[in-house]
Amino acid sequence: MSDAKTLSPEPLIPLESPSAAPSEVAAWLGAKLRRYGILLFLLGLWELSGRAHWVDQTVVPSLTLTLKAIAQMWQRIDLGSHILISLGRVIFGLLIGLSVGAPMAYVLARAWPKLGQNFESLWRVFGLINPYCLFPIFVIMFGLGETPKIAVLAWVSLWPIFFGAETAFRNVNPQLLKTALSMNCRSWAIFWRITLPASLPAIFTGARIGVEMSFFILIAAEMTGATAGLGWIIHNAGAAYQTERIYGAGVCVVILGVGINRFLELIRQNFLAWGEGDGIPWLLSSRASKQPTNRLVLWLCCLIFALVMALGFWKIFQGENLILSSPNP
Amino acid sequence: MIFAFIRKYAAIIGFLGLWEGLSRLRVIDPLFFPPFTQVVAEIVHLLRIGVLGPQIKASLQRAIPGFLLATLMGVPLGLLLGSWFKTLTNYLELPLEIFSQLNPFLLFHIIILFMGIGEAPKVTIVAWTCLWPIVFSSMSGAAQVNPSLLKSGRAFGLSRLGLLRKITWPAASPVVFAGIRLSLGYSLFMLIAAEMMGASSGLGFMVQRTQETFQLDRLYAAVTVIAFLGLILDASLQLLGRAFLYTKLENYVNTPGD
């Protein structure tokens, strides 16, 4: 700890300097304004357009009405559990995708590389199959309920993970492998110390793309066949012309999407820092700063994530039991 | 050559053979999983009686304009944001991220309120979905151009427009193209979902209808056609890209970590 203190940049900033504090505040404010200015402006415009009656409030409810709708939904129809259920489905699908995709990629890229090459074309075709039209087929296979939805989400996240992992497993630096072999490492040591760390960033990148696409498809899947979740709320509100509820649920979806994106970026920067960026140009925050995060914040984020995951699974399980036990679903 | 072809597609042929065999031998219920040949026969039959053709046409008439609209708007927007207006990009980063997270299906009900029911909302959904990968990849492609190339361009007295046309565009085009290819995949993906939710024609509608009326042959036929269509569109886009874009430059223009 004492080492950390001497290394910390605190002493470098003269505390008594009179001009330092205001300019720092100004710089901080400027940075925040640069980041959030346009967003705040757009939110203000949204609010104003409702207040000044530029647009019909029944078509575009103002920001305050939308927030009120969120509060109302939270109280009346238990918005919290719907959010948890939606998140739980995405995470469940992602976990299946990871636990199938990554080992499959390892087997096909490392254990039997020749066989893997033969299967390449089949996986390409599978990856291009539209997950949404698989939904009816999954219903035939698994019956109604949560399973087909989770299967669709697992399918969506499986392929980016698999392709990323396969490429990474194939392209592990042979120099490192040779070094390890010449040092007489056992095969499991090579796996744990070299192959896996070298491939984890790519697997993670695949998982991020998978989550992104899962979110899109989840809302659609919940809109057509579900009795819970954010997509269901939107569908229901749309059918009943409760526009402010559509907007409210929409705001929740956007916040969740941005939040998950940020969380994954945080994880990548802190736990997989040896990867060279995730190279997904269409996820903007992959260009975020390289500042180390506060450990406490990091672990708190992870804890919240685990909690949300557990609660989501529990809610899904509960809902499934409810459907199965009710005489007339 | 034939041998190489067979080797390359052996897994696909094997998968289809497995499907056919299991279904014919009644290991899996042929009522729920009709054998592949039967599905192909159904596709041929549907094509012959003129049911499938109009649906494919309807779907393509929504997907292609939406995709083209997104490309025509997204590529210039992304390139300009990534090259000329870098400061503006810093300001716009968060709003753009939020817009890209705005799920097209959230917008579905709202777009219908503005545009009515018909072709316009579906094309808009496709365009919205396709727009963001294209914008972001063009942006990052333009931002990642090797600075020494830009400097030498400037040293040779190229104007801003000349820099954009002669250096930024060729150097960024592989990344732009990757975004466009991803978008094309998204376009079908979203269109089918939109058609399943609310349409009276198109392949997605066909999936939905055949599912409701339990015509599983036709369901599998529609799904197979959609998969095939996706493959064809992807392959033709790749061909186009190889013919027209500067993909060969990629190796020495955009060296990472330069």
Side-chain angles (χ1 to χ4, degrees):
Chain A
M1 276 320 283
S2 61
D3 278 8
K5 266 202 178 143
T6 48
L7 283 174
S8 75
E10 267 177 351
L12 295 177
I13 301 164
L15 285 174
E16 278 87 14
S17 153
S19 65
S23 74
E24 244 175 72
V25 171
W28 182 81
L29 263 180
K32 290 284 161 201
L33 202 66
R34 220 172 295 139
R35 195 152 173 69
Y36 299 106
I38 289 187
L39 183 68
L40 285 177
F41 172 72
L42 286 177
L43 289 179
L45 201 68
W46 182 10
E47 177 67 29
L48 197 67
S49 67
R51 298 248 161 176
H53 294 284
W54 293 337
V55 286
D56 197 342
Q57 291 268 306
T58 49
V59 180
V60 184
S62 66
L63 178 61
T64 39
L65 278 179
T66 306
L67 292 179
K68 265 184 206 158
I70 293 179
Q72 193 203 33
M73 280 193 284
W74 193 279
Q75 284 171 349
R76 293 207 189 145
I77 58 170
D78 202 5
L79 181 65
S81 352
H82 287 287
I83 292 177
L84 282 178
I85 286 173
S86 283
L87 274 177
R89 283 175 184 151
V90 169
I91 297 170
F92 208 134
L94 180 71
L95 288 183
I96 296 177
L98 267 177
S99 52
V100 175
M104 193 166 103
Y106 183 78
V107 168
L108 289 178
R110 285 260 136 220
W112 296 310
K114 282 250 170 85
L115 188 76
Q117 265 165 6
N118 285 340
F119 272 105
E120 195 75 355
S121 56
L122 183 65
W123 306 138
R124 293 278 157 207
V125 173
F126 276 176
L128 276 170
I129 286 182
N130 192 310
Y132 204 70
C133 61
L134 284 177
F135 192 60
I137 294 176
F138 282 144
V139 171
I140 294 171
M141 283 182 180
F142 303 119
L144 291 168
E146 290 298 329
T147 332
K149 274 164 231 143
I150 291 172
V152 166
L153 295 176
W155 180 274
V156 172
S157 45
L158 172 64
W159 298 110
I161 292 172
F162 173 76
F163 290 134
E166 203 198 12
T167 318
F169 279 131
R170 268 188 212 286
N171 298 334
V172 176
N173 189 345
Q175 213 85 58
L176 294 176
L177 289 176
K178 276 181 204 159
T179 317
L181 278 176
S182 69
M183 285 196 263
N184 212 3
C185 275
R186 293 210 196 110
S187 56
W188 59 264
I190 293 180
F191 175 74
W192 281 113
R193 296 282 167 85
I194 294 171
T195 321
L196 192 64
S199 317
L200 264 183
I203 296 175
F204 192 74
T205 302
R208 270 188 86 178
I209 300 177
V211 168
E212 196 89 338
M213 288 180 63
S214 296
F215 238 83
F216 271 3
I217 220 62
L218 170 81
I219 302 295
E222 284 181 345
M223 281 173 93
T224 44
T227 49
L230 284 167
W232 175 78
I233 290 185
I234 291 163
H235 193 62
N236 231 12
Y241 290 106
Q242 296 166 308
T243 21
E244 67 281 359
R245 282 199 178 183
I246 303 182
Y247 279 82
V251 168
C252 292
V253 171
V254 170
I255 291 175
L256 283 184
V258 174
I260 287 192
N261 201 1
R262 287 290 157 86
F263 174 74
L264 292 175
E265 180 58 28
L266 192 78
I267 296 287
R268 191 189 65 74
Q269 276 180 9
N270 286 284
F271 295 121
L272 300 167
W274 63 86
E276 295 168 357
D278 56 11
I280 321 175
W282 47 91
L283 294 181
L284 263 189
S285 59
S286 49
R287 296 194 281 114
S289 67
K290 288 271 190 292
Q291 278 176 359
T293 325
N294 190 345
R295 283 279 126 173
L296 191 69
V297 175
L298 185 64
W299 287 112
L300 213 64
C301 282
C302 291
L303 191 73
I304 290 171
F305 180 78
L307 215 80
V308 163
M309 187 171 85
L311 273 175
F313 288 175
W314 181 63
K315 286 274 178 198
I316 290 173
F317 189 66
Q318 215 182 17
E320 190 83 337
N321 277 347
L322 206 72
I323 291 166
L324 291 178
S325 61
S326 69
N328 207 356
Chain B
M1 179 181 158
I2 291 170
F3 188 67
F5 181 82
I6 290 175
R7 243 183 99 92
K8 196 173 170 197
Y9 296 102
I12 295 179
I13 297 163
F15 172 75
L16 295 178
L18 194 72
W19 174 8
E20 176 80 28
L22 288 179
S23 182
R24 290 264 176 223
L25 294 172
R26 295 180 176 270
V27 179
I28 50 177
D29 193 339
L31 189 64
F32 293 135
F33 303 98
F36 180 66
T37 42
Q38 198 179 323
V39 173
V40 173
E42 183 68 26
I43 293 175
V44 173
H45 172 67
L46 286 176
L47 276 175
R48 200 172 283 157
I49 61 171
V51 173
L52 196 57
Q55 312 285 18
I56 296 176
K57 206 176 132 205
S59 282
L60 285 181
Q61 269 172 353
R62 290 166 190 150
I64 305 277
F67 168 71
L68 286 181
L69 202 67
T71 312
L72 288 181
M73 290 195 318
V75 173
L77 185 70
L79 284 179
L80 286 182
L81 279 177
S83 60
W84 287 4
F85 306 112
K86 276 189 180 161
T87 335
L88 187 66
T89 311
N90 280 337
Y91 289 92
L92 280 178
E93 197 170 318
L94 195 66
L96 282 181
E97 192 186 343
I98 286 175
F99 279 138
S100 73
Q101 290 287 343
L102 256 185
N103 196 303
F105 293 106
L106 303 177
L107 302 168
F108 194 61
H109 292 288
I110 296 158
I111 292 173
I112 284 179
L113 287 178
F114 283 108
M115 298 187 169
I117 44 177
E119 296 301 295
K122 281 149 215 146
V123 175
T124 314
I125 281 187
V126 172
W128 180 272
T129 320
C130 294
L131 184 64
W132 301 108
I134 296 180
V135 168
F136 291 151
S137 54
S138 319
M139 251 167 85
S140 84
Q144 280 166 7
V145 175
N146 191 338
S148 54
L149 284 177
L150 286 174
K151 274 179 203 158
S152 48
R154 240 173 253 139
F156 282 119
L158 276 178
S159 64
R160 273 160 79 86
L161 194 67
L163 278 178
L164 188 68
R165 211 163 60 84
K166 293 260 170 72
I167 294 175
T168 308
W169 163 242
S173 63
V175 188
V176 175
F177 186 68
I180 290 178
R181 215 180 134 198
L182 188 83
S183 270
L184 187 72
Y186 274 12
S187 73
L188 265 186
F189 182 82
M190 282 296 154
L191 177 74
I192 300 298
E195 283 177 347
M196 280 175 79
M197 277 166 42
S200 50
S201 62
L203 288 166
F205 164 73
M206 204 175 146
V207 170
Q208 184 69 15
R209 175 54 68 84
T210 51
Q211 179 198 359
E212 278 164 6
T213 52
F214 213 68
Q215 296 166 297
L216 289 181
D217 289 8
R218 291 200 179 183
L219 171 66
Y220 280 94
V223 172
T224 312
V225 167
I226 291 169
F228 195 60
L229 212 60
L231 276 177
I232 289 180
L233 283 179
D234 191 60
S236 46
L237 190 69
Q238 261 184 306
L239 272 180
L240 269 180
R242 237 174 263 155
F244 289 113
L245 288 177
Y246 308 84
T247 33
K248 284 175 209 130
L249 285 175
E250 187 175 18
N251 293 333
Y252 58 96
V253 175
N254 285 331
T255 39
D258 204 347

